[in-house]
Amino acid sequence: MTAIGPNVRINSARLWDSLMEMAKIGPGVAGGNNRQTLTDADSEGRHLFQRWCEAAGCSMGVDTMGNMFATRPGTDPNALPVYIGSHLDTQPTGGKYDGVLGVLAGLEVVRSMNDLGIKTKHPVVVTNWTNEEGARFAPAMLASGVFAGIHTEEYAKGRIDLEGKVFGEELKRIGWVGDEKVGARKMHAMFEYHIEQGPILEAEGKEIGVVTHGQGLWWLEITLTGKDAHTGSTPMNMRVNAGLGMARITERVHQIAMAHQPNAVGAVGQVTVFPNSRNVIPGKVIFTVDIRSPDQAKLDAMRAEVERAAHAVAKELGLGCSIEPVGHFDPVTFDPTLVKRVRENAERLGFSHMDIISGAGHDACWINRVAPTVMIMCPCVDGLSHNEAEEISQDWAAKGADVLFHAVVETAGVVG
């Protein structure tokens, strides 16, 4: 037997209680969370997760990037583990579910297996990937990227936040440098459960998103250099205004994304203005452009067009211009066998579902490079995420976790 009966469910109340308990750590100012990576709050959340995992009979391993792996043994010591993973870190004004749902639903899978006395051939490992968000240390999905061989560990540990703090030093400071070599673990499969972070599932009235693909993206950090000058006494025709350059490029990013419809998006996100004074023309602006598409040709074309537009604007205004890619991954196709398994289990459990493309980047996008990987999504209210008002229902959380539970147990192979 490799599966369990369709009447079997996870403990919905326990999953929800765990989500609410974790949300007490690193509270935001408007009902959400500010538990950014490698902060004291992140460390506190990690300790709570570890206690829960050990109480569920798991052993905890940590690698040198701080990735956490809670292992429930299988019956076959030679069988590769089935991983369930996401992240506990949040945006500065993040919600209670982004990433956290995937980690704690993985823990709930293990707890429910324990409750029901389910043994599997393959071990099951619940994972917390370090710095998925990339809000404090760019790029996003940093530690899973090192695990998958996308980034070197030296590069990752040298990342610097806006306060000048270094990733490797902060990881050491909070006490989460493990002893495992990053990427040494081998996987039979990996599942990531996540809120959609978009409005499609709710609008379509679907309970389960079967994620077939993920958008590729480029994060481009553009630095424009002009000349600081007094806003009141500098003639308009003598200004070298980096802020004006950013404004024009922002509009061009929007136009470029619109020109590549459908299935293309783009916007300017993080902005740092120097000297950021109300009566000084900006002499320097650093800002990020985020462009995404599931179509490789569109993604490549948009990057080239954004870079051409930025240099053209800078030349017209007499600005210095440098562009540095600070985040990238190609469009992702998730494992067809696992996608089919998720879809079939959603049907078997009687849940409404649809195929969906992930608009956001996730750790699964990198792990897909080294192991068969799939994602499951549940709706979120109004598609709102990366916002303290992010909300889901207990029922949505439970149904996605039920599909995760059944698909993971089937993949791990029930024994007995």
Side-chain angles (χ1 to χ4, degrees):
M1 182 173 68
T2 58
I4 52 179
N7 60 318
V8 177
R9 298 288 190 271
I10 57 96
N11 186 324
S12 172
R14 181 171 56 196
L15 172 58
W16 195 255
D17 288 346
S18 297
L19 288 165
M20 296 305 106
E21 193 67 24
M22 184 63 74
K24 294 177 183 177
I25 299 174
V29 297
N33 281 103
N34 180 7
R35 195 171 52 247
Q36 294 181 67
T37 195
L38 308 191
T39 58
D40 292 342
D42 181 23
S43 181
E44 186 180 349
R46 287 165 172 266
H47 280 292
L48 177 59
F49 174 59
Q50 180 171 8
R51 290 196 299 272
W52 282 343
C53 291
E54 290 174 347
C58 295
S59 58
M60 183 62 72
V62 182
D63 68 21
T64 54
M65 280 295 294
N67 296 315
M68 300 173 68
F69 304 99
T71 301
R72 183 183 195 264
T75 60
D76 183 349
N78 297 315
L80 293 177
V82 176
Y83 284 70
I84 313 170
S86 200
H87 60 97
L88 294 175
D89 69 312
T90 77
Q91 290 284 328
T93 53
K96 298 189 289 286
Y97 311 102
D98 174 359
V100 185
L101 175 63
V103 177
L104 298 187
L107 173 60
E108 179 54 38
V109 167
V110 168
R111 287 168 163 173
S112 294
M113 290 170 69
N114 291 344
D115 292 345
L116 297 165
I118 295 173
K119 295 181 179 180
T120 57
K121 174 184 176 181
H122 295 262
V124 173
V125 179
V126 185
T127 304
N128 169 38
W129 298 104
T130 300
N131 190 39
E132 191 275 348
E133 290 292 2
R136 184 180 176 199
F137 297 99
M141 301 116 67
L142 185 63
S144 58
V146 176
F147 187 96
I150 308 301
H151 309 302
T152 66
E153 188 168 349
E154 180 182 17
Y155 166 84
K157 288 189 170 177
R159 297 295 84 200
I160 299 173
D161 70 7
L162 292 176
E163 296 180 353
K165 294 180 179 178
V166 180
F167 182 102
E169 295 173 1
E170 287 292 276
L171 181 63
K172 184 176 180 181
R173 182 189 66 80
I174 67 167
W176 282 95
V177 181
D179 54 10
E180 287 189 21
K181 181 181 177 182
V182 184
R185 289 172 170 262
K186 303 303 177 186
M187 300 180 175
H188 180 60
M190 189 190 115
F191 291 79
E192 181 168 4
Y193 177 35
H194 209 281
I195 64 171
E196 181 194 350
Q197 299 183 285
I200 297 171
L201 292 175
E202 186 184 34
E204 296 290 332
K206 303 298 185 182
E207 297 161 318
I208 303 296
V210 182
V211 186
T212 60
H213 296 79
Q215 289 195 117
L217 70 76
W218 279 104
W219 283 357
L220 305 175
E221 184 177 271
I222 300 179
T223 301
L224 298 179
T225 306
K227 185 183 295 183
D228 301 3
H230 196 294
T231 57
S233 55
T234 307
M236 294 298 290
N237 64 344
M238 297 180 68
R239 300 180 178 207
V240 190
N241 187 342
L244 176 60
M246 184 197 70
R248 291 187 179 177
I249 293 168
T250 300
E251 184 175 31
R252 289 293 295 122
V253 169
H254 178 80
Q255 292 169 346
I256 289 165
M258 290 300 294
H260 286 276
Q261 294 304 299
N263 300 322
V265 295
V268 166
Q270 189 178 69
V271 177
T272 308
V273 180
F274 302 92
N276 200 26
S277 174
R278 62 174 53 91
N279 61 346
V280 180
I281 298 165
K284 182 178 179 182
V285 180
I286 302 173
F287 59 102
T288 57
V289 174
D290 183 331
I291 50 176
R292 307 186 188 211
S293 176
D295 183 314
Q296 184 73 59
K298 286 186 179 182
L299 186 67
D300 292 343
M302 285 197 297
R303 179 192 173 181
E305 290 173 30
V306 167
E307 292 188 351
R308 281 198 298 270
H311 285 297
V313 167
K315 183 177 180 181
E316 179 185 351
L317 298 177
L319 300 168
C321 178
S322 64
I323 303 174
E324 178 188 0
V326 292
H328 169 67
F329 54 84
D330 288 335
V332 172
T333 299
F334 289 113
D335 183 79
T337 299
L338 294 180
V339 168
K340 182 171 181 284
R341 183 165 296 154
V342 168
R343 188 184 297 117
E344 288 174 347
N345 276 288
E347 291 175 358
R348 195 163 67 97
L349 295 173
F351 301 151
S352 60
H353 63 89
M354 64 180 289
D355 289 358
I356 194 168
I357 294 172
S358 173
H362 301 282
D363 292 305
C365 295
W366 283 148
I367 302 306
N368 190 61
R369 302 286 190 94
V370 295
T373 304
V374 71
M375 292 191 69
I376 302 166
M377 287 184 173
C378 76
C380 56
V381 176
D382 295 330
L384 194 63
S385 182
H386 287 192
N387 187 307
E388 292 200 53
E390 173 185 284
E391 194 55 74
I392 65 175
S393 72
Q394 182 175 336
D395 183 61
W396 287 344
K399 286 178 176 175
D402 284 331
V403 174
L404 177 70
F405 178 45
H406 282 258
V408 165
V409 169
E410 183 177 342
T411 304
V414 177
V415 176

